[in-house]
Amino acid sequence: MKFQVLVAGGRELQNAVATCFAENPEAALWQCSTEEKLKEALARTPAPDLILIDFDLHQLKPLKLLSQLLATGEKRNVVLVAAAPAIEDVVKCLHLGASDFLQYPREKAKLQTALRDAFARWEKNQKGAAFGAQLHDRFDVQGLIGESPQMQQVVQTIKKISQRRWVTVLIRGETGTGKELVARAIHYGSAETPANAPFVEVNCTAIPENLLEAELFGYEKGAFTDAKFSKKGLFEIAEGGTLFLDEIGDMSLLLQAKLLKAIEEKRIRRLGGTQSLEVKTRIMAGTHAHLEKAIEEGRFRRDLYYRLNVITLALPPLRERGRDILVLAHHFLAAYAREYQTPAQKLTPAAEQALMQYDWPGNVRELKHVLERAVLLSENAAIDVPDIHEALGVEPRPRAASPKLAEGALPWSRAIEIPPEGLSLRDGECRLIEEVLRLTKWNKTRASQILGISRPRLARKIEEYKIQAQPRKAFELTAV
């Protein structure tokens, strides 16, 4: 696609514009000097990117033409030129919506600058649209990898949401499950969203509370000590596109109230400002927090929750996605082999089993980083269990089917005495972990082998149950 310039004027003006773009193959000129040819040129597709009108060419009826061009409300870049225009004509044309009014040929250099600036803006928009198209391909819903029923359900919901441009979406899931990726898939997957529409992401926990308001809503010059100039907020920057508020559950109550008002009214006010600005921006929010519990504890506004919870997407943790672990692992292996220009590597069956047995507390993000380290550190054609353990940061060890606590000891079985009042599953698990830790003298590696869980998962259980180094003795483990 070329930069289309329509020159409605005499031969001298046409030659001046042609000379300016003589060595630019990206520019296409339409030239006309009669009303019939002008109408024919304006009916072409695509519409001209720049319209240059000679105000002194009275047969074109420039004022009437300008009114017709701008009456539709469609944004057009129209520049008028005249040898000695009357002030009232200049004011009237600018009031109608003309981009500029120049004296020609007196301001010939200024005309050339205006033409080059218009082309530069067009070129920037073209690059933005091309980049937007690349992002669309990259973050399209097809980029969400997974064959499990849970992920297929997520994909189907995204396709439905993408048909509605401005609907508010709440994306829930553990850290590392891909909340931002899903938000981008919704944004770029929408047929109603222009290719160059902005996607703006902000992590509500990464910015201090006293700065987050200024980041979201912007500020005017002098609003506070260091405000030496005015600055747009992320709401304005995301105009026409999407603002994704990640980890919104950690936002302060005061800011939650201002956010609710902005979403409800689709208007914001900069810090230190007196005027409200209209913003048309899709809001999506992500959280790993239990918002219902936060509402009960007074840490999250109930009305904001209802406003965000128009459509909810719950992303499953990786440990619940079955063989998606291997599908993702092979995808990341191939991607990092291309990125680092290393020979393609495969996973051994034992390595695949090790990946499936690990519970992935960091979810997809952790799996991605583990595979990246494995590609960089492994010197073998196939990635094996020791490579996975090294990438995970744990000691390489075989998974023992019948671990022993001491040399010559027999296999161990658990004998649990259930008290008359009963024993909950949670209490039983806690007591079992306590006793195994006591018998192994708090050797967490040995204890995790006996319990059949990973060492990181054991550490999380110890923290969850607040198990101390000298727990009570709840039941006996007896040798059989």
Side-chain angles (χ1 to χ4, degrees), residues 149 181 220 288 321 335 369 425:
L181 184 63
E220 299 290 355
H288 74 283
R321 291 174 56 181
H369 293 163
L425 182 62

Side-chain angles (χ1 to χ4, degrees), residues 113-185:
T113 301
L115 294 172
R116 293 192 182 101
D117 288 347
F119 176 76
R121 287 193 296 272
W122 172 85
E123 193 174 37
K124 183 178 179 180
N125 289 337
Q126 290 296 110
K127 290 179 179 178
F131 181 63
Q134 291 176 8
L135 289 175
H136 181 279
D137 294 339
R138 179 181 174 188
F139 293 106
D140 183 62
V141 68
Q142 304 303 324
L144 296 175
I145 300 169
E147 300 173 355
S148 63
Q150 300 97 316
M151 282 307 297
Q152 290 303 308
Q153 181 62 46
V154 168
V155 168
Q156 291 304 316
T157 305
I158 290 174
K159 289 180 178 179
K160 293 179 182 178
I161 295 172
S162 298
Q163 297 173 10
R164 301 290 184 268
R165 183 177 177 184
W166 300 112
V167 65
T168 304
V169 183
L170 178 63
I171 307 171
R172 308 181 72 161
E174 295 179 6
T175 300
T177 49
K179 294 187 288 294
E180 182 184 347
L181 184 63
V182 168
R184 288 183 181 273

Side-chain angles (χ1 to χ4, degrees), residues 28-176:
L29 304 183
W30 302 346
Q31 302 176 356
C32 55
S33 57
T34 65
E35 188 173 356
E36 292 74 19
K37 289 186 177 181
L38 178 62
K39 289 180 180 179
E40 181 183 341
L42 289 172
R44 292 181 183 179
T45 303
D49 300 292
L50 173 64
I51 301 174
L52 200 64
I53 300 175
D54 188 347
F55 197 81
D56 292 334
L57 203 64
H58 299 296
Q59 62 264 35
L60 292 178
K61 303 175 182 177
L63 273 176
K64 181 180 178 181
L65 172 61
L66 182 63
S67 300
Q68 291 174 344
L69 286 172
L70 302 175
T72 60
E74 184 180 354
K75 192 172 183 180
R76 291 181 181 270
N77 188 7
V78 183
V79 176
L80 293 102
V81 299
I87 295 296
E88 55 269 24
D89 288 335
V90 174
V91 172
K92 191 168 186 178
C93 289
L94 294 176
H95 181 71
L96 286 171
S99 302
D100 207 346
F101 202 127
L102 306 174
Q103 284 185 274
Y104 182 82
R106 180 182 174 183
E107 296 181 326
K108 187 174 182 179
K110 193 173 181 180
L111 172 62
Q112 292 177 339
T113 301
L115 294 172
R116 293 192 182 101
D117 288 347
F119 176 76
R121 287 193 296 272
W122 172 85
E123 193 174 37
K124 183 178 179 180
N125 289 337
Q126 290 296 110
K127 290 179 179 178
F131 181 63
Q134 291 176 8
L135 289 175
H136 181 279
D137 294 339
R138 179 181 174 188
F139 293 106
D140 183 62
V141 68
Q142 304 303 324
L144 296 175
I145 300 169
E147 300 173 355
S148 63
Q150 300 97 316
M151 282 307 297
Q152 290 303 308
Q153 181 62 46
V154 168
V155 168
Q156 291 304 316
T157 305
I158 290 174
K159 289 180 178 179
K160 293 179 182 178
I161 295 172
S162 298
Q163 297 173 10
R164 301 290 184 268
R165 183 177 177 184
W166 300 112
V167 65
T168 304
V169 183
L170 178 63
I171 307 171
R172 308 181 72 161
E174 295 179 6
T175 300

Side-chain angles (χ1 to χ4, degrees), residues 92 124 175 211 244 252 307 414 447:
K92 191 168 186 178
K124 183 178 179 180
T175 300
L211 299 179
F244 177 55
S252 70
R307 187 64 188 82
R414 294 184 286 273

Side-chain angles (χ1 to χ4, degrees), residues 56 66 296 427 473:
D56 292 334
L66 182 63
E296 293 176 2
D427 287 341
K473 185 176 180 181

Side-chain angles (χ1 to χ4, degrees), residues 47-353:
D49 300 292
L50 173 64
I51 301 174
L52 200 64
I53 300 175
D54 188 347
F55 197 81
D56 292 334
L57 203 64
H58 299 296
Q59 62 264 35
L60 292 178
K61 303 175 182 177
L63 273 176
K64 181 180 178 181
L65 172 61
L66 182 63
S67 300
Q68 291 174 344
L69 286 172
L70 302 175
T72 60
E74 184 180 354
K75 192 172 183 180
R76 291 181 181 270
N77 188 7
V78 183
V79 176
L80 293 102
V81 299
I87 295 296
E88 55 269 24
D89 288 335
V90 174
V91 172
K92 191 168 186 178
C93 289
L94 294 176
H95 181 71
L96 286 171
S99 302
D100 207 346
F101 202 127
L102 306 174
Q103 284 185 274
Y104 182 82
R106 180 182 174 183
E107 296 181 326
K108 187 174 182 179
K110 193 173 181 180
L111 172 62
Q112 292 177 339
T113 301
L115 294 172
R116 293 192 182 101
D117 288 347
F119 176 76
R121 287 193 296 272
W122 172 85
E123 193 174 37
K124 183 178 179 180
N125 289 337
Q126 290 296 110
K127 290 179 179 178
F131 181 63
Q134 291 176 8
L135 289 175
H136 181 279
D137 294 339
R138 179 181 174 188
F139 293 106
D140 183 62
V141 68
Q142 304 303 324
L144 296 175
I145 300 169
E147 300 173 355
S148 63
Q150 300 97 316
M151 282 307 297
Q152 290 303 308
Q153 181 62 46
V154 168
V155 168
Q156 291 304 316
T157 305
I158 290 174
K159 289 180 178 179
K160 293 179 182 178
I161 295 172
S162 298
Q163 297 173 10
R164 301 290 184 268
R165 183 177 177 184
W166 300 112
V167 65
T168 304
V169 183
L170 178 63
I171 307 171
R172 308 181 72 161
E174 295 179 6
T175 300
T177 49
K179 294 187 288 294
E180 182 184 347
L181 184 63
V182 168
R184 288 183 181 273
I186 296 171
H187 171 81
Y188 292 109
S190 175
E192 300 295 324
T193 303
N196 59 348
F199 178 90
V200 180
E201 182 266 342
V202 57
N203 190 314
C204 298
T205 60
I207 303 175
E209 181 183 336
N210 59 333
L211 299 179
L212 184 57
E213 181 178 359
E215 284 294 315
L216 290 175
F217 301 106
Y219 53 83
E220 299 290 355
K221 181 180 178 180
F224 47 86
T225 305
D226 294 328
K228 298 179 181 178
F229 50 85
S230 298
K231 181 183 176 182
K232 287 184 177 181
L234 297 180
F235 266 95
E236 291 178 77
I237 294 173
E239 171 75 25
T242 300
L243 177 60
F244 177 55
L245 303 167
D246 199 7
E247 302 304 351
I248 196 171
D250 297 324
M251 184 180 286
S252 70
L253 286 170
L254 177 61
L255 199 49
Q256 287 177 34
K258 294 185 177 181
L259 175 63
L260 175 64
K261 184 177 177 65
I263 297 174
E264 291 278 356
E265 300 180 358
K266 292 183 172 56
R267 302 187 70 87
I268 63 165
R269 182 181 295 175
R270 293 180 183 175
L271 290 178
T274 57
Q275 293 184 341
S276 293
L277 305 174
E278 184 177 359
V279 288
K280 192 153 188 178
T281 303
R282 180 209 284 263
I283 299 297
M284 285 192 267
T287 182
H288 74 283
H290 194 299
L291 293 184
E292 293 81 2
K293 183 178 180 182
I295 292 171
E296 293 176 2
E297 296 174 353
R299 294 183 289 107
F300 200 82
R301 292 180 63 101
R302 188 180 299 274
D303 47 5
L304 177 59
Y305 171 74
Y306 291 141
R307 187 64 188 82
L308 293 172
N309 197 31
V310 177
I311 297 291
T312 296
L313 268 173
L315 303 186
L318 184 57
R319 61 182 172 273
E320 296 179 4
R321 291 174 56 181
R323 292 191 64 81
D324 277 1
I325 295 172
L326 299 184
V327 174
L328 286 162
H330 289 295
H331 169 77
F332 292 141
L333 269 184
Y336 286 124
R338 290 192 300 269
E339 180 177 347
Y340 296 115
Q341 298 181 349
T342 61
Q345 293 172 302
K346 295 183 178 180
L347 291 167
T348 66
E352 290 184 340
Q353 185 179 7

